[in-house]
Amino acid sequence: MSYDAREWVWDHSRSKGTARMVLALIADRCRDRHCVAYASVPTLMKRANASRTAVRDALAKLIADGELVPLPDRKGPRGETYYRLPIAAEFLADERREGDRNPAPQGGGV
């Protein structure tokens, strides 16, 4: 499912620059359409090749823009912050509901 969340970032997110990269890195860790994943600042720094300040600024921007929501009641195995991508989750849920309304044709076509 990380593919769906990551593709949402590339195709629909309004984020730019380091914020977009950070969001894509978090989306890449999402396991289902709920778009929840954990990440640490040091891991994001390493993978985005960005400074601590740049990553923290990116997280703050994503949170302010509503593309990322920290989940303070959950922690990863090493104390990492859990995040939810609410707009991506809603988009994927709508996409799924739309698919349920338009099922693929069944039977004898060529």
Side-chain angles (χ1 to χ4, degrees):
M1 279 305 151
S2 67
Y3 173 82
D4 293 333
R6 187 179 58 241
E7 286 301 303
W8 177 87
V9 172
W10 297 133
D11 294 341
H12 302 285
S13 173
R14 293 177 178 242
S15 61
K16 296 180 181 182
T18 303
R20 190 176 192 87
M21 177 59 73
V22 166
L23 189 60
L25 289 168
I26 295 170
D28 194 44
R29 302 188 80 162
C30 294
R31 295 189 178 263
D32 58 27
R33 289 180 179 262
H34 298 290
C35 297
V36 173
Y38 64 84
S40 69
V41 170
T43 298
L44 294 170
M45 288 169 53
K46 182 178 180 181
R47 292 187 177 198
N49 194 27
S51 69
R52 179 176 302 275
T53 300
V55 168
R56 286 191 174 167
D57 289 349
L59 290 168
K61 174 101 174 95
L62 292 165
I63 291 166
D65 291 347
E67 291 198 26
L68 196 63
V69 174
L71 303 176
D73 56 324
R74 292 183 69 182
K75 293 291 180 193
R78 290 176 209 82
E80 301 92 340
T81 301
Y82 262 89
Y83 298 98
R84 182 166 188 268
L85 287 71
I87 302 170
E90 183 62 31
F91 177 85
L92 295 174
D94 287 347
E95 188 176 71
R96 184 177 190 127
R97 283 190 292 270
E98 191 64 30
D100 290 345
R101 283 182 277 214
N102 298 314
Q106 299 290 322
V110 174

